[in-house]
Amino acid sequence: MPAPANSAVFTVPFEDNRVSGAPTYLESQVLSQADKYEALTSTLDGKFIIASTAFNKEGTSENPGLDVLNTLVYWPASAPGQARVMSPSTRGGITSSRDLREKIVTAIDSYGRQAQGTPSPATSYFQVEALTTAPDGTLLMGIRKYGKDSKTATFSFLLLSVPLIEHEGGLELGNTFKVVLNLTPDELARRLSLPDGSLPELGLSGMEFDRHNKDRFYAVTSFETGDVIGGYLWMLPLDNGIIGPPQPVSGKDAMPVKFANKPEGVEVLDQHHVLVVHDDDRVKVKLAQSAGVREDYEFNYSVITIP
């Protein structure tokens, strides 16, 4: 993992479904200024990489430092030094995408009013954890938690869609976000149908379009309760442009595949392999292949074979 002085964004060689070398850090002032990256994807043609921070806090006009947590950034795949902030605005010398906050909140609250039929508490807090491009020319942004504030926010599997316009030399977003899917932890737990029926609250933690099979997305959810962590892999069918409800990916025993680590990212490697990257935070999970535990500077990953 990166040393404190390095960029938070890096690449690693990956061959035969294994990491095969040391990381190469992507150096860019724009990439270095943004903080708390939570999601990363690429355009379907592979020309641009897009990354999002958490958007879970915001600065003020007097102290705009936390605006760096509200950044959507993109760069040509072969030129990270040309990284730019998407939907940029600047205050106090800090350029970020904080103006997207109002559009995201408006979409969530408008959906809530339509779904419930009655006014609901205004959303002031949300946390972005997933990002993927879609074949209909949109960018999907996944929300792990949202609510009135950070203490009362509830976990979710909420997907927002916004047009993504690719023009010569760059990308820009459309003006309107809309909710295309919203599931609660209880709804997710019922889909798992685990024998004991008990499950900590699940929240969305990563998602990616399957550009090889072209008929599905894969997503990961995770939970963290004290020192107990884990998560699941899901497949979301795509039929005539409509995203279907997530279905848990099951193993040979017909039970949903459960990770002992905390999944935070997912990538589709080819038609039959999905990569899941874990971030266990402060929890020290014992490594299955040895008597040791993961160190602070290490991460675990899984490669799942899909028949």
Side-chain angles (χ1 to χ4, degrees), residues 44-60:
L44 297 186
D45 58 14
K47 289 182 179 179
F48 294 97
I49 310 298
I50 311 170
S52 178
T53 60
F55 280 80
N56 62 331
K57 295 178 183 178
E58 182 184 15
T60 64

Side-chain angles (χ1 to χ4, degrees), residues 234-255:
W234 306 78
M235 188 274 289
L236 291 79
L238 181 66
D239 186 12
N240 292 322
I242 304 299
I243 302 174
Q247 305 168 7
V249 173
S250 298
K252 293 181 180 179
D253 59 359
M255 294 299 296

Side-chain angles (χ1 to χ4, degrees), residues 284-295 298:
K284 298 289 189 178
V285 176
K286 184 175 180 179
L287 303 180
Q289 67 271 29
S290 71
V293 296
R294 176 194 59 83
E295 299 293 345
E298 295 178 326

Side-chain angles (χ1 to χ4, degrees), residues 119-259:
S120 57
T123 300
S124 298
Y125 174 89
F126 60 91
Q127 185 169 326
V128 175
E129 289 248 1
L131 199 68
T132 181
T133 48
D136 62 355
T138 62
L139 182 71
L140 297 180
M141 184 175 284
I143 307 298
R144 177 176 175 82
K145 294 178 72 175
Y146 70 94
K148 185 178 179 181
D149 52 51
S150 60
K151 292 182 179 180
T152 60
T154 57
F155 286 94
S156 66
F157 191 121
L158 187 149
L159 296 181
L160 293 163
S161 172
V162 61
L164 180 65
I165 302 138
E166 185 172 341
H167 52 76
E168 185 176 353
L171 300 174
E172 62 181 58
L173 296 181
N175 290 322
T176 305
F177 286 78
K178 66 176 181 178
V179 175
V180 294
L181 185 67
N182 187 19
L183 296 174
T184 66
D186 288 344
E187 290 173 300
L188 291 170
R190 286 197 296 271
R191 294 177 190 278
L192 290 170
S193 300
L194 296 177
D196 60 6
S198 62
L199 192 72
E201 285 190 303
L202 289 171
L204 178 64
S205 54
M207 185 171 173
E208 188 65 38
F209 174 63
D210 182 345
R211 64 194 69 201
H212 302 281
N213 292 296
K214 298 181 170 55
D215 61 354
R216 70 194 73 170
F217 294 84
Y218 284 97
V220 284
T221 57
S222 63
F223 61 85
E224 183 172 9
T225 305
D227 289 339
V228 180
I229 60 174
Y232 298 88
L233 175 65
W234 306 78
M235 188 274 289
L236 291 79
L238 181 66
D239 186 12
N240 292 322
I242 304 299
I243 302 174
Q247 305 168 7
V249 173
S250 298
K252 293 181 180 179
D253 59 359
M255 294 299 296
V257 173
K258 181 180 180 181
F259 300 109

Side-chain angles (χ1 to χ4, degrees), residues 9-11 26 31 39-52 72-80 82-84 86 131 133 139 164 171 211 267:
V9 186
F10 59 94
T11 64
L26 306 188
L31 291 177
L40 184 146
T41 190
S42 65
T43 53
L44 297 186
D45 58 14
K47 289 182 179 179
F48 294 97
I49 310 298
I50 311 170
S52 178
L72 195 63
V73 59
Y74 75 96
W75 62 94
S78 59
Q82 298 176 24
R84 307 181 203 171
M86 199 175 293
L131 199 68
T133 48
L139 182 71
L164 180 65
L171 300 174
R211 64 194 69 201
E267 177 61 282

